[in-house]
PDB file of all heavy atoms in Angstrom:
ATOM      1  N   VAL M 363     -48.013  42.917 190.701  1.00  0.00           N
ATOM      2  CA  VAL M 363     -48.644  42.281 189.532  1.00  0.00           C
ATOM      3  C   VAL M 363     -48.974  43.260 188.419  1.00  0.00           C
ATOM      4  O   VAL M 363     -49.404  42.835 187.349  1.00  0.00           O
ATOM      5  CB  VAL M 363     -49.920  41.523 189.956  1.00  0.00           C
ATOM      6  CG1 VAL M 363     -49.640  40.522 191.052  1.00  0.00           C
ATOM      7  CG2 VAL M 363     -51.036  42.490 190.380  1.00  0.00           C
ATOM      8  N   GLY M 364     -48.817  44.557 188.667  1.00  0.00           N
ATOM      9  CA  GLY M 364     -49.185  45.548 187.648  1.00  0.00           C
ATOM     10  C   GLY M 364     -50.518  46.206 187.952  1.00  0.00           C
ATOM     11  O   GLY M 364     -51.440  45.546 188.458  1.00  0.00           O
ATOM     12  N   GLN M 365     -50.625  47.487 187.653  1.00  0.00           N
ATOM     13  CA  GLN M 365     -51.840  48.230 187.932  1.00  0.00           C
ATOM     14  C   GLN M 365     -53.040  47.666 187.200  1.00  0.00           C
ATOM     15  O   GLN M 365     -54.162  47.659 187.733  1.00  0.00           O
ATOM     16  CB  GLN M 365     -51.642  49.703 187.548  1.00  0.00           C
ATOM     17  CG  GLN M 365     -52.749  50.625 188.022  1.00  0.00           C
ATOM     18  CD  GLN M 365     -52.786  50.761 189.536  1.00  0.00           C
ATOM     19  OE1 GLN M 365     -51.765  51.069 190.149  1.00  0.00           O
ATOM     20  NE2 GLN M 365     -53.936  50.533 190.139  1.00  0.00           N
ATOM     21  N   GLU M 366     -52.830  47.138 185.994  1.00  0.00           N
ATOM     22  CA  GLU M 366     -53.948  46.661 185.181  1.00  0.00           C
ATOM     23  C   GLU M 366     -54.600  45.423 185.773  1.00  0.00           C
ATOM     24  O   GLU M 366     -55.763  45.130 185.467  1.00  0.00           O
ATOM     25  CB  GLU M 366     -53.481  46.388 183.752  1.00  0.00           C
ATOM     26  CG  GLU M 366     -52.565  45.191 183.566  1.00  0.00           C
ATOM     27  CD  GLU M 366     -51.111  45.458 183.988  1.00  0.00           C
ATOM     28  OE1 GLU M 366     -50.795  46.620 184.344  1.00  0.00           O
ATOM     29  OE2 GLU M 366     -50.306  44.499 183.959  1.00  0.00           O
ATOM     30  N   ARG M 367     -53.899  44.677 186.612  1.00  0.00           N
ATOM     31  CA  ARG M 367     -54.463  43.478 187.236  1.00  0.00           C
ATOM     32  C   ARG M 367     -54.948  43.724 188.660  1.00  0.00           C
ATOM     33  O   ARG M 367     -55.464  42.807 189.303  1.00  0.00           O
ATOM     34  CB  ARG M 367     -53.428  42.351 187.254  1.00  0.00           C
ATOM     35  CG  ARG M 367     -53.120  41.729 185.898  1.00  0.00           C
ATOM     36  CD  ARG M 367     -52.058  40.637 186.046  1.00  0.00           C
ATOM     37  NE  ARG M 367     -52.497  39.590 186.953  1.00  0.00           N
ATOM     38  CZ  ARG M 367     -51.646  38.732 187.555  1.00  0.00           C
ATOM     39  NH1 ARG M 367     -50.347  38.831 187.361  1.00  0.00           N
ATOM     40  NH2 ARG M 367     -52.113  37.796 188.365  1.00  0.00           N
ATOM     41  N   THR M 368     -54.788  44.933 189.157  1.00  0.00           N
ATOM     42  CA  THR M 368     -55.112  45.233 190.557  1.00  0.00           C
ATOM     43  C   THR M 368     -56.528  45.769 190.667  1.00  0.00           C
ATOM     44  O   THR M 368     -56.884  46.751 190.023  1.00  0.00           O
ATOM     45  CB  THR M 368     -54.123  46.272 191.110  1.00  0.00           C
ATOM     46  OG1 THR M 368     -52.796  45.752 191.006  1.00  0.00           O
ATOM     47  CG2 THR M 368     -54.422  46.578 192.569  1.00  0.00           C
ATOM     48  N   VAL M 369     -57.337  45.112 191.491  1.00  0.00           N
ATOM     49  CA  VAL M 369     -58.738  45.515 191.691  1.00  0.00           C
ATOM     50  C   VAL M 369     -58.962  45.733 193.187  1.00  0.00           C
ATOM     51  O   VAL M 369     -59.133  44.768 193.954  1.00  0.00           O
ATOM     52  CB  VAL M 369     -59.709  44.440 191.179  1.00  0.00           C
ATOM     53  CG1 VAL M 369     -61.158  44.928 191.334  1.00  0.00           C
ATOM     54  CG2 VAL M 369     -59.427  44.093 189.734  1.00  0.00           C
ATOM     55  N   PRO M 370     -58.910  46.986 193.649  1.00  0.00           N
ATOM     56  CA  PRO M 370     -59.218  47.233 195.072  1.00  0.00           C
ATOM     57  C   PRO M 370     -60.618  46.787 195.434  1.00  0.00           C
ATOM     58  O   PRO M 370     -61.532  46.804 194.596  1.00  0.00           O
ATOM     59  CB  PRO M 370     -59.078  48.764 195.197  1.00  0.00           C
ATOM     60  CG  PRO M 370     -58.243  49.168 194.025  1.00  0.00           C
ATOM     61  CD  PRO M 370     -58.607  48.216 192.922  1.00  0.00           C
ATOM     62  N   GLY M 371     -60.784  46.365 196.677  1.00  0.00           N
ATOM     63  CA  GLY M 371     -62.100  45.935 197.134  1.00  0.00           C
ATOM     64  C   GLY M 371     -62.257  46.150 198.629  1.00  0.00           C
ATOM     65  O   GLY M 371     -61.263  46.236 199.359  1.00  0.00           O
ATOM     66  N   VAL M 372     -63.496  46.242 199.073  1.00  0.00           N
ATOM     67  CA  VAL M 372     -63.792  46.512 200.481  1.00  0.00           C
ATOM     68  C   VAL M 372     -64.940  45.616 200.933  1.00  0.00           C
ATOM     69  O   VAL M 372     -66.032  45.634 200.355  1.00  0.00           O
ATOM     70  CB  VAL M 372     -64.167  47.988 200.707  1.00  0.00           C
ATOM     71  CG1 VAL M 372     -64.696  48.201 202.121  1.00  0.00           C
ATOM     72  CG2 VAL M 372     -62.965  48.891 200.452  1.00  0.00           C
ATOM     73  N   VAL M 373     -64.692  44.856 202.002  1.00  0.00           N
ATOM     74  CA  VAL M 373     -65.705  44.013 202.638  1.00  0.00           C
ATOM     75  C   VAL M 373     -66.246  44.735 203.853  1.00  0.00           C
ATOM     76  O   VAL M 373     -65.481  45.304 204.639  1.00  0.00           O
ATOM     77  CB  VAL M 373     -65.115  42.653 203.054  1.00  0.00           C
ATOM     78  CG1 VAL M 373     -66.112  41.860 203.900  1.00  0.00           C
ATOM     79  CG2 VAL M 373     -64.678  41.861 201.842  1.00  0.00           C
ATOM     80  N   ARG M 374     -67.565  44.695 204.043  1.00  0.00           N
ATOM     81  CA  ARG M 374     -68.162  45.227 205.259  1.00  0.00           C
ATOM     82  C   ARG M 374     -69.089  44.185 205.863  1.00  0.00           C
ATOM     83  O   ARG M 374     -69.935  43.625 205.171  1.00  0.00           O
ATOM     84  CB  ARG M 374     -68.933  46.535 204.980  1.00  0.00           C
ATOM     85  CG  ARG M 374     -68.020  47.728 204.740  1.00  0.00           C
ATOM     86  CD  ARG M 374     -68.826  49.016 204.574  1.00  0.00           C
ATOM     87  NE  ARG M 374     -67.947  50.172 204.521  1.00  0.00           N
ATOM     88  CZ  ARG M 374     -67.391  50.654 203.409  1.00  0.00           C
ATOM     89  NH1 ARG M 374     -67.629  50.040 202.256  1.00  0.00           N
ATOM     90  NH2 ARG M 374     -66.598  51.712 203.445  1.00  0.00           N
ATOM     91  N   GLY M 375     -68.918  43.964 207.138  1.00  0.00           N
ATOM     92  CA  GLY M 375     -69.707  42.991 207.872  1.00  0.00           C
ATOM     93  C   GLY M 375     -68.938  42.564 209.103  1.00  0.00           C
ATOM     94  O   GLY M 375     -67.754  42.925 209.256  1.00  0.00           O
ATOM     95  N   TYR M 376     -69.569  41.827 209.976  1.00  0.00           N
ATOM     96  CA  TYR M 376     -68.914  41.333 211.175  1.00  0.00           C
ATOM     97  C   TYR M 376     -68.766  39.817 211.084  1.00  0.00           C
ATOM     98  O   TYR M 376     -69.758  39.088 211.049  1.00  0.00           O
ATOM     99  CB  TYR M 376     -69.694  41.740 212.430  1.00  0.00           C
ATOM    100  CG  TYR M 376     -69.573  43.209 212.717  1.00  0.00           C
ATOM    101  CD1 TYR M 376     -70.617  44.076 212.411  1.00  0.00           C
ATOM    102  CD2 TYR M 376     -68.408  43.735 213.253  1.00  0.00           C
ATOM    103  CE1 TYR M 376     -70.504  45.434 212.661  1.00  0.00           C
ATOM    104  CE2 TYR M 376     -68.276  45.099 213.495  1.00  0.00           C
ATOM    105  CZ  TYR M 376     -69.339  45.946 213.199  1.00  0.00           C
ATOM    106  OH  TYR M 376     -69.207  47.283 213.424  1.00  0.00           O
ATOM    107  N   PHE M 377     -67.522  39.380 210.998  1.00  0.00           N
ATOM    108  CA  PHE M 377     -67.204  37.963 210.812  1.00  0.00           C
ATOM    109  C   PHE M 377     -66.190  37.540 211.850  1.00  0.00           C
ATOM    110  O   PHE M 377     -65.254  38.283 212.143  1.00  0.00           O
ATOM    111  CB  PHE M 377     -66.603  37.716 209.415  1.00  0.00           C
ATOM    112  CG  PHE M 377     -67.333  38.414 208.298  1.00  0.00           C
ATOM    113  CD1 PHE M 377     -66.850  39.604 207.766  1.00  0.00           C
ATOM    114  CD2 PHE M 377     -68.490  37.893 207.777  1.00  0.00           C
ATOM    115  CE1 PHE M 377     -67.509  40.248 206.755  1.00  0.00           C
ATOM    116  CE2 PHE M 377     -69.164  38.517 206.758  1.00  0.00           C
ATOM    117  CZ  PHE M 377     -68.680  39.714 206.232  1.00  0.00           C
ATOM    118  N   HIS M 378     -66.358  36.335 212.375  1.00  0.00           N
ATOM    119  CA  HIS M 378     -65.393  35.767 213.299  1.00  0.00           C
ATOM    120  C   HIS M 378     -64.839  34.463 212.721  1.00  0.00           C
ATOM    121  O   HIS M 378     -65.604  33.562 212.353  1.00  0.00           O
ATOM    122  CB  HIS M 378     -66.007  35.480 214.659  1.00  0.00           C
ATOM    123  CG  HIS M 378     -66.292  36.714 215.450  1.00  0.00           C
ATOM    124  ND1 HIS M 378     -66.843  36.674 216.724  1.00  0.00           N
ATOM    125  CD2 HIS M 378     -66.092  38.030 215.173  1.00  0.00           C
ATOM    126  CE1 HIS M 378     -66.982  37.921 217.168  1.00  0.00           C
ATOM    127  NE2 HIS M 378     -66.541  38.739 216.247  1.00  0.00           N
ATOM    128  N   HIS M 379     -63.528  34.376 212.632  1.00  0.00           N
ATOM    129  CA  HIS M 379     -62.864  33.144 212.220  1.00  0.00           C
ATOM    130  C   HIS M 379     -62.772  32.264 213.468  1.00  0.00           C
ATOM    131  O   HIS M 379     -61.999  32.546 214.378  1.00  0.00           O
ATOM    132  CB  HIS M 379     -61.470  33.483 211.671  1.00  0.00           C
ATOM    133  CG  HIS M 379     -60.701  32.309 211.173  1.00  0.00           C
ATOM    134  ND1 HIS M 379     -59.330  32.240 211.223  1.00  0.00           N
ATOM    135  CD2 HIS M 379     -61.116  31.137 210.622  1.00  0.00           C
ATOM    136  CE1 HIS M 379     -58.925  31.096 210.713  1.00  0.00           C
ATOM    137  NE2 HIS M 379     -59.992  30.408 210.339  1.00  0.00           N
ATOM    138  N   VAL M 380     -63.546  31.199 213.512  1.00  0.00           N
ATOM    139  CA  VAL M 380     -63.690  30.419 214.756  1.00  0.00           C
ATOM    140  C   VAL M 380     -62.993  29.073 214.717  1.00  0.00           C
ATOM    141  O   VAL M 380     -63.015  28.342 215.700  1.00  0.00           O
ATOM    142  CB  VAL M 380     -65.185  30.240 215.112  1.00  0.00           C
ATOM    143  CG1 VAL M 380     -65.837  31.569 215.428  1.00  0.00           C
ATOM    144  CG2 VAL M 380     -65.931  29.545 213.967  1.00  0.00           C
ATOM    145  N   GLY M 381     -62.377  28.749 213.601  1.00  0.00           N
ATOM    146  CA  GLY M 381     -61.683  27.473 213.469  1.00  0.00           C
ATOM    147  C   GLY M 381     -61.154  27.319 212.072  1.00  0.00           C
ATOM    148  O   GLY M 381     -61.392  28.182 211.208  1.00  0.00           O
ATOM    149  N   PRO M 382     -60.415  26.239 211.771  1.00  0.00           N
ATOM    150  CA  PRO M 382     -59.889  26.050 210.419  1.00  0.00           C
ATOM    151  C   PRO M 382     -60.994  26.081 209.362  1.00  0.00           C
ATOM    152  O   PRO M 382     -61.940  25.302 209.426  1.00  0.00           O
ATOM    153  CB  PRO M 382     -59.219  24.674 210.500  1.00  0.00           C
ATOM    154  CG  PRO M 382     -58.893  24.489 211.938  1.00  0.00           C
ATOM    155  CD  PRO M 382     -60.031  25.147 212.685  1.00  0.00           C
ATOM    156  N   ALA M 383     -60.897  27.023 208.444  1.00  0.00           N
ATOM    157  CA  ALA M 383     -61.875  27.145 207.351  1.00  0.00           C
ATOM    158  C   ALA M 383     -63.294  27.269 207.858  1.00  0.00           C
ATOM    159  O   ALA M 383     -64.233  26.715 207.284  1.00  0.00           O
ATOM    160  CB  ALA M 383     -61.755  25.985 206.371  1.00  0.00           C
ATOM    161  N   GLU M 384     -63.480  28.034 208.940  1.00  0.00           N
ATOM    162  CA  GLU M 384     -64.802  28.175 209.539  1.00  0.00           C
ATOM    163  C   GLU M 384     -65.048  29.622 209.961  1.00  0.00           C
ATOM    164  O   GLU M 384     -64.195  30.243 210.600  1.00  0.00           O
ATOM    165  CB  GLU M 384     -64.957  27.255 210.751  1.00  0.00           C
ATOM    166  CG  GLU M 384     -66.351  27.330 211.383  1.00  0.00           C
ATOM    167  CD  GLU M 384     -66.549  26.304 212.475  1.00  0.00           C
ATOM    168  OE1 GLU M 384     -65.608  25.536 212.754  1.00  0.00           O
ATOM    169  OE2 GLU M 384     -67.652  26.282 213.062  1.00  0.00           O
ATOM    170  N   VAL M 385     -66.231  30.146 209.624  1.00  0.00           N
ATOM    171  CA  VAL M 385     -66.595  31.515 209.948  1.00  0.00           C
ATOM    172  C   VAL M 385     -67.990  31.551 210.552  1.00  0.00           C
ATOM    173  O   VAL M 385     -68.850  30.730 210.209  1.00  0.00           O
ATOM    174  CB  VAL M 385     -66.560  32.410 208.675  1.00  0.00           C
ATOM    175  CG1 VAL M 385     -67.558  31.929 207.629  1.00  0.00           C
ATOM    176  CG2 VAL M 385     -66.809  33.873 209.019  1.00  0.00           C
ATOM    177  N   THR M 386     -68.191  32.450 211.476  1.00  0.00           N
ATOM    178  CA  THR M 386     -69.543  32.798 211.914  1.00  0.00           C
ATOM    179  C   THR M 386     -69.760  34.271 211.598  1.00  0.00           C
ATOM    180  O   THR M 386     -68.839  35.086 211.707  1.00  0.00           O
ATOM    181  CB  THR M 386     -69.745  32.560 213.421  1.00  0.00           C
ATOM    182  OG1 THR M 386     -68.794  33.329 214.162  1.00  0.00           O
ATOM    183  CG2 THR M 386     -69.590  31.092 213.750  1.00  0.00           C
ATOM    184  N   THR M 387     -70.969  34.619 211.189  1.00  0.00           N
ATOM    185  CA  THR M 387     -71.287  35.999 210.855  1.00  0.00           C
ATOM    186  C   THR M 387     -72.150  36.601 211.956  1.00  0.00           C
ATOM    187  O   THR M 387     -72.932  35.900 212.602  1.00  0.00           O
ATOM    188  CB  THR M 387     -72.040  36.073 209.501  1.00  0.00           C
ATOM    189  OG1 THR M 387     -73.246  35.290 209.586  1.00  0.00           O
ATOM    190  CG2 THR M 387     -71.185  35.514 208.373  1.00  0.00           C
ATOM    191  N   HIS M 388     -71.971  37.905 212.149  1.00  0.00           N
ATOM    192  CA  HIS M 388     -72.656  38.587 213.246  1.00  0.00           C
ATOM    193  C   HIS M 388     -73.267  39.911 212.796  1.00  0.00           C
ATOM    194  O   HIS M 388     -73.158  40.921 213.467  1.00  0.00           O
ATOM    195  CB  HIS M 388     -71.683  38.828 214.402  1.00  0.00           C
ATOM    196  CG  HIS M 388     -71.110  37.568 214.990  1.00  0.00           C
ATOM    197  ND1 HIS M 388     -71.783  36.800 215.907  1.00  0.00           N
ATOM    198  CD2 HIS M 388     -69.941  36.932 214.746  1.00  0.00           C
ATOM    199  CE1 HIS M 388     -71.056  35.756 216.237  1.00  0.00           C
ATOM    200  NE2 HIS M 388     -69.931  35.810 215.536  1.00  0.00           N
ATOM    201  N   GLY M 389     -73.907  39.887 211.653  1.00  0.00           N
ATOM    202  CA  GLY M 389     -74.625  41.059 211.204  1.00  0.00           C
ATOM    203  C   GLY M 389     -73.739  42.057 210.474  1.00  0.00           C
ATOM    204  O   GLY M 389     -72.647  41.745 209.998  1.00  0.00           O
ATOM    205  N   GLY M 390     -74.209  43.297 210.416  1.00  0.00           N
ATOM    206  CA  GLY M 390     -73.520  44.313 209.637  1.00  0.00           C
ATOM    207  C   GLY M 390     -73.997  44.289 208.196  1.00  0.00           C
ATOM    208  O   GLY M 390     -74.900  43.526 207.833  1.00  0.00           O
ATOM    209  N   PRO M 391     -73.396  45.102 207.335  1.00  0.00           N
ATOM    210  CA  PRO M 391     -73.922  45.262 205.977  1.00  0.00           C
ATOM    211  C   PRO M 391     -73.873  44.002 205.123  1.00  0.00           C
ATOM    212  O   PRO M 391     -74.733  43.789 204.276  1.00  0.00           O
ATOM    213  CB  PRO M 391     -73.012  46.365 205.396  1.00  0.00           C
ATOM    214  CG  PRO M 391     -72.447  47.073 206.586  1.00  0.00           C
ATOM    215  CD  PRO M 391     -72.316  46.033 207.644  1.00  0.00           C
ATOM    216  N   GLY M 392     -72.829  43.177 205.250  1.00  0.00           N
ATOM    217  CA  GLY M 392     -72.695  42.022 204.368  1.00  0.00           C
ATOM    218  C   GLY M 392     -72.518  42.433 202.934  1.00  0.00           C
ATOM    219  O   GLY M 392     -73.184  41.931 202.028  1.00  0.00           O
ATOM    220  N   SER M 393     -71.585  43.381 202.703  1.00  0.00           N
ATOM    221  CA  SER M 393     -71.433  43.967 201.378  1.00  0.00           C
ATOM    222  C   SER M 393     -69.992  43.868 200.892  1.00  0.00           C
ATOM    223  O   SER M 393     -69.058  43.672 201.671  1.00  0.00           O
ATOM    224  CB  SER M 393     -71.864  45.430 201.402  1.00  0.00           C
ATOM    225  OG  SER M 393     -70.987  46.202 202.192  1.00  0.00           O
ATOM    226  N   PHE M 394     -69.833  44.033 199.580  1.00  0.00           N
ATOM    227  CA  PHE M 394     -68.516  44.066 198.966  1.00  0.00           C
ATOM    228  C   PHE M 394     -68.548  45.086 197.851  1.00  0.00           C
ATOM    229  O   PHE M 394     -69.351  45.005 196.921  1.00  0.00           O
ATOM    230  CB  PHE M 394     -68.141  42.692 198.414  1.00  0.00           C
ATOM    231  CG  PHE M 394     -66.747  42.621 197.854  1.00  0.00           C
ATOM    232  CD1 PHE M 394     -65.644  42.863 198.654  1.00  0.00           C
ATOM    233  CD2 PHE M 394     -66.522  42.299 196.519  1.00  0.00           C
ATOM    234  CE1 PHE M 394     -64.367  42.800 198.151  1.00  0.00           C
ATOM    235  CE2 PHE M 394     -65.250  42.223 196.003  1.00  0.00           C
ATOM    236  CZ  PHE M 394     -64.155  42.488 196.828  1.00  0.00           C
ATOM    237  N   THR M 395     -67.669  46.092 197.964  1.00  0.00           N
ATOM    238  CA  THR M 395     -67.480  47.042 196.856  1.00  0.00           C
ATOM    239  C   THR M 395     -66.149  46.743 196.214  1.00  0.00           C
ATOM    240  O   THR M 395     -65.194  46.309 196.886  1.00  0.00           O
ATOM    241  CB  THR M 395     -67.511  48.501 197.352  1.00  0.00           C
ATOM    242  OG1 THR M 395     -66.393  48.730 198.235  1.00  0.00           O
ATOM    243  CG2 THR M 395     -68.793  48.828 198.067  1.00  0.00           C
ATOM    244  N   MET M 396     -66.060  46.981 194.899  1.00  0.00           N
ATOM    245  CA  MET M 396     -64.856  46.605 194.179  1.00  0.00           C
ATOM    246  C   MET M 396     -64.667  47.493 192.969  1.00  0.00           C
ATOM    247  O   MET M 396     -65.611  48.125 192.474  1.00  0.00           O
ATOM    248  CB  MET M 396     -64.929  45.141 193.725  1.00  0.00           C
ATOM    249  CG  MET M 396     -66.130  44.824 192.860  1.00  0.00           C
ATOM    250  SD  MET M 396     -66.278  43.054 192.425  1.00  0.00           S
ATOM    251  CE  MET M 396     -64.934  42.903 191.228  1.00  0.00           C
ATOM    252  N   GLY M 397     -63.433  47.557 192.502  1.00  0.00           N
ATOM    253  CA  GLY M 397     -63.145  48.266 191.261  1.00  0.00           C
ATOM    254  C   GLY M 397     -63.677  47.505 190.075  1.00  0.00           C
ATOM    255  O   GLY M 397     -64.171  46.368 190.191  1.00  0.00           O
ATOM    256  N   PRO M 398     -63.575  48.085 188.868  1.00  0.00           N
ATOM    257  CA  PRO M 398     -64.225  47.503 187.692  1.00  0.00           C
ATOM    258  C   PRO M 398     -63.411  46.448 186.946  1.00  0.00           C
ATOM    259  O   PRO M 398     -63.816  46.024 185.885  1.00  0.00           O
ATOM    260  CB  PRO M 398     -64.435  48.738 186.795  1.00  0.00           C
ATOM    261  CG  PRO M 398     -63.297  49.640 187.153  1.00  0.00           C
ATOM    262  CD  PRO M 398     -63.038  49.429 188.619  1.00  0.00           C
ATOM    263  N   GLY M 399     -62.305  45.975 187.507  1.00  0.00           N
ATOM    264  CA  GLY M 399     -61.411  45.120 186.735  1.00  0.00           C
ATOM    265  C   GLY M 399     -61.654  43.640 186.771  1.00  0.00           C
ATOM    266  O   GLY M 399     -60.873  42.881 186.207  1.00  0.00           O
ATOM    267  N   ALA M 400     -62.719  43.173 187.446  1.00  0.00           N
ATOM    268  CA  ALA M 400     -62.990  41.729 187.542  1.00  0.00           C
ATOM    269  C   ALA M 400     -64.465  41.461 187.310  1.00  0.00           C
ATOM    270  O   ALA M 400     -65.205  41.095 188.220  1.00  0.00           O
ATOM    271  CB  ALA M 400     -62.544  41.190 188.907  1.00  0.00           C
ATOM    272  N   PRO M 401     -64.934  41.632 186.064  1.00  0.00           N
ATOM    273  CA  PRO M 401     -66.384  41.526 185.797  1.00  0.00           C
ATOM    274  C   PRO M 401     -66.965  40.144 186.065  1.00  0.00           C
ATOM    275  O   PRO M 401     -68.130  40.037 186.446  1.00  0.00           O
ATOM    276  CB  PRO M 401     -66.493  41.887 184.309  1.00  0.00           C
ATOM    277  CG  PRO M 401     -65.119  41.657 183.755  1.00  0.00           C
ATOM    278  CD  PRO M 401     -64.170  41.982 184.856  1.00  0.00           C
TER     279      PRO M 401
END
Side-chain angles (χ1 to χ4, degrees):
V363 305
Q365 190 67 53
E366 70 282 355
R367 289 179 59 200
T368 301
V369 184
V372 170
V373 171
R374 286 185 172 87
Y376 288 103
F377 315 100
H378 287 181
H379 182 210
V380 295
E384 182 173 1
V385 62
T386 58
T387 59
H388 298 279
S393 66
F394 184 61
T395 64
M396 57 184 287

